[in-house]
Amino acid sequence: MAGFNKVVANYQEAMAGLEDGMTVIAGGFGLCGIPENLISEIKRKGTKGLTVVSNNCGVDEFGLGVLLTDRQISKIVASYVGENSEFERQMMSNELKVVLTPQGTLAEKMRAGGAGIPAFFTATGVGTPVGEGKEVRTFNEREYLLEESIRGDFAIVKAWKADKYGNLVYRKTARNFNPMAATAGKITVVEVEEIVEPGELDPDQIHTPGIYVDRLIVGTFEKRIEQRTIRPSYNESGET
Amino acid sequence: MALSREQMAKRVAQELQDGFYVNLGIGIPTLVANYVPENMEVMLQSENGLLGMGLFPTEEEIDADLINAGKQTVTMATGASVFSSAESFAMIRGGHVDLTVLGAFEVDVNGNIASYMIPGKLIKGMGGAMDLVAGADNIIVTMTHASKHGDSKLLANCSLPLTGKSCIKKVLTDLAYLEIKDGKFHLLEYAPGVTIDEIKALTQGELVVDEQVKEMVI
């Protein structure tokens, strides 16, 4: 690597330094926009005792779900974890600690973490189990919870395109949590579908500036679909 | 007769206004999109980061990078935009969404809502529901009036863990359209063929029959 070139040679190098007990923040919503190959590399490495921060935990055979098979995750911070039977088993038997966190609060925890803001107030969760044990403060006659931000030892991110300097562009709703995750890792690793030369991306169109990115690699992606819903290409009423 | 899911969606759709930005939850709320009145422009917000959700795709249009908050493949309507989850919840928490429609297990006379957890049974998580009920002013809850066993879901006090406190003002059930205010349910409309006594019998929280009560028009 030289200068601002963030490109690494292989997936081992991309995840080098990940150790047992570390915190990993992952982008993705369901199986959309997840860093598939970085997750596979964590599985291959066999790192254990991880705290994973991600909106969801994949499904049994795909996404972060593959890290459950060998019990690599000890704690997960997520908003919705419903699509995974092994997850449910480990949660019910207390092998896996689950911190259910409202989706907007989770996004803001990552955003604030990356922006150097240690905590913030939000109305979300006041008077619910999420608020238990947290400081409540009143502003303009309304109650708000104090929520602490999150930083990770690693952040793993999926973007669509990057230049070698790590400037990133996401595609459609595969963006989701990825931009916040990218800011919140001590080491941020990004995998993309295409890497171009610096100068080829329009600076006005960059979603994540390269300053947040430490390592960059190009991969191939399965992009599995969780709920395949379609309408007919043609119907007799013409209302397609 | 109790309303069907489609009839409930049709009734909710009557609350839409031209130019509304609307977030629809999973289940009955999703069906509301099918009944947007003609000559009305409504833009659907999906909290995973899409404003201007379109129809389901055709087989040829399917794109793994384009889903809604229910993880279903979708398309984008004309004038759509995509953004991050933080931006999406800035819209929601900042009160920029005009109408939120979501399901629930229980609501109570104080506007509390329980919709995300049944201890020991269902613990999948709240997703964006806590943010939606805390951030929105205009919320309609859609649910059946009672469980399959005949237990009321309109209670004096929610029994399940709360999704939000004192945030619900409107409830549409398969039997009635109700407003919550001053610690009571106010019956505004009853479904065609349903009697007020039947509604009373299935409403555990205090119920006031509004003077202007009328039969629902679907």
Side-chain angles (χ1 to χ4, degrees):
Chain A
M1 274 199 276
F4 295 109
N5 186 349
K6 309 289 173 71
V7 180
V8 296
N10 53 52
Y11 276 93
Q12 283 99 310
E13 197 181 320
M15 292 310 294
L18 181 72
E19 293 172 8
D20 290 357
M22 280 186 168
T23 295
V24 178
I25 298 182
F29 183 97
L31 301 179
C32 183
I34 58 172
E36 296 177 17
N37 304 292
L38 295 173
I39 294 167
S40 299
E41 172 60 16
I42 296 174
K43 183 173 175 62
R44 192 200 61 79
K45 275 172 81 87
T47 319
K48 287 210 178 3
L50 296 172
T51 293
V52 170
V53 183
S54 167
N55 190 55
N56 317 91
C57 195
V59 295
D60 278 327
E61 303 299 326
F62 198 66
L64 288 166
V66 303
L67 301 183
L68 294 168
T69 322
D70 301 322
R71 307 258 320 268
Q72 290 177 266
I73 304 175
S74 61
K75 177 178 166 184
I76 179 145
V77 181
S79 87
Y80 192 83
V81 290
E83 320 294 349
N84 193 319
S85 59
E86 176 61 15
F87 186 98
E88 211 156 297
R89 193 196 66 71
Q90 291 187 18
M91 176 168 65
M92 296 305 229
S93 61
N94 287 322
E95 293 165 54
L96 176 64
K97 185 166 186 246
V98 181
V99 182
L100 290 176
T101 304
Q103 200 173 121
T105 296
L106 186 61
E108 193 65 14
K109 277 173 177 269
M110 292 184 194
R111 198 198 68 79
I117 295 168
F120 56 93
F121 283 99
T122 175
T124 301
V126 171
T128 77
V130 167
E132 282 168 19
K134 290 176 186 160
E135 183 184 339
V136 174
R137 183 115 36 113
T138 302
F139 299 92
N140 301 318
E141 299 175 7
R142 193 165 180 205
E143 290 182 326
Y144 295 83
L145 284 185
L146 184 65
E147 290 278 7
E148 290 184 21
S149 64
I150 296 180
R151 293 201 74 145
D153 297 296
F154 274 75
I156 55 174
V157 168
K158 160 72 174 51
W160 178 39
K161 273 189 188 179
D163 67 23
K164 287 179 175 169
Y165 288 0
N167 293 307
L168 307 179
V169 179
Y170 306 96
R171 187 170 175 276
K172 299 183 179 174
T173 58
R175 190 179 325 184
N176 56 61
F177 281 83
N178 282 297
M180 286 75 70
T183 66
K186 286 178 195 157
I187 298 173
T188 290
V189 188
V190 181
E191 58 174 338
V192 296
E193 295 171 46
E194 184 184 358
I195 298 176
V196 300
E197 291 299 321
E200 287 187 40
L201 298 177
D202 178 352
D204 266 333
Q205 306 300 323
I206 286 164
H207 298 135
T208 293
I211 191 170
Y212 297 110
V213 176
D214 298 291
R215 302 174 188 170
L216 181 65
I217 189 164
V218 66
T220 55
F221 298 85
E222 178 184 333
K223 293 195 185 183
R224 194 179 291 187
I225 292 172
E226 211 164 329
Q227 303 282 344
R228 191 181 186 87
T229 45
I230 56 166
R231 70 177 200 276
S233 313
Y234 171 79
N235 74 30
E236 288 179 2
S237 66
E239 292 171 350
T240 54
Chain B
M1 273 282 285
L3 301 180
S4 66
R5 290 159 56 86
E6 286 72 21
Q7 287 174 314
M8 289 174 70
K10 276 187 190 175
R11 178 61 192 87
V12 171
Q14 294 171 19
E15 302 299 309
L16 298 170
Q17 290 179 28
D18 196 25
F20 258 20
Y21 295 101
V22 180
N23 184 292
L24 301 175
I26 293 165
I28 294 166
T30 305
L31 300 175
V32 175
N34 298 335
Y35 302 107
V36 177
E38 277 182 43
N39 306 318
M40 188 184 280
E41 282 194 311
V42 165
M43 208 173 264
L44 301 177
Q45 204 259 15
S46 190
E47 63 265 27
N48 57 316
L50 170 60
L51 186 62
M53 181 166 61
L55 303 169
F56 290 137
T58 62
E59 191 69 52
E60 299 74 42
E61 289 170 339
I62 281 186
D63 184 341
D65 288 339
L66 186 55
I67 63 168
N68 65 16
K71 291 149 192 162
Q72 297 170 311
T73 46
V74 291
T75 59
M76 292 189 276
T78 304
S81 54
V82 288
F83 35 82
S84 73
S85 299
E87 180 90 49
S88 180
F89 283 92
M91 292 173 195
I92 290 166
R93 293 165 177 238
H96 302 279
V97 176
D98 297 301
L99 175 66
T100 293
V101 185
L102 78 172
F105 301 137
E106 300 172 344
V107 293
D108 72 24
V109 294
N110 294 311
N112 297 324
I113 173 172
S115 68
Y116 85 101
M117 185 196 272
I118 301 174
K121 274 191 190 165
L122 181 87
I123 32 182
K124 293 184 171 188
M126 67 292 284
M130 280 194 182
D131 304 283
L132 283 158
V133 297
D137 193 41
N138 191 12
I139 305 170
I140 300 175
V141 169
T142 60
M143 61 181 196
T144 55
H145 208 96
S147 73
K148 282 174 200 152
H149 312 294
D151 298 322
S152 178
K153 296 182 180 179
L154 286 83
L155 305 175
N157 286 296
C158 286
S159 65
L160 296 168
L162 295 185
T163 309
K165 196 177 89 171
S166 305
C167 51
I168 304 302
K169 294 175 199 141
K170 296 277 176 68
V171 184
L172 179 83
T173 73
D174 52 343
L175 306 182
Y177 188 44
L178 308 104
E179 187 177 7
I180 301 173
K181 62 178 180 193
D182 309 324
K184 298 179 182 79
F185 293 113
H186 294 254
L187 180 62
L188 305 180
E189 298 176 17
Y190 50 88
V194 174
T195 68
I196 290 174
D197 284 342
E198 285 174 76
I199 293 165
K200 275 185 180 163
L202 289 172
T203 307
Q204 189 229 30
E206 188 176 349
L207 179 74
V208 175
V209 180
D210 196 89
E211 283 175 16
Q212 309 286 315
V213 70
K214 58 181 185 186
E215 185 175 281
M216 204 178 287
V217 179
I218 305 294

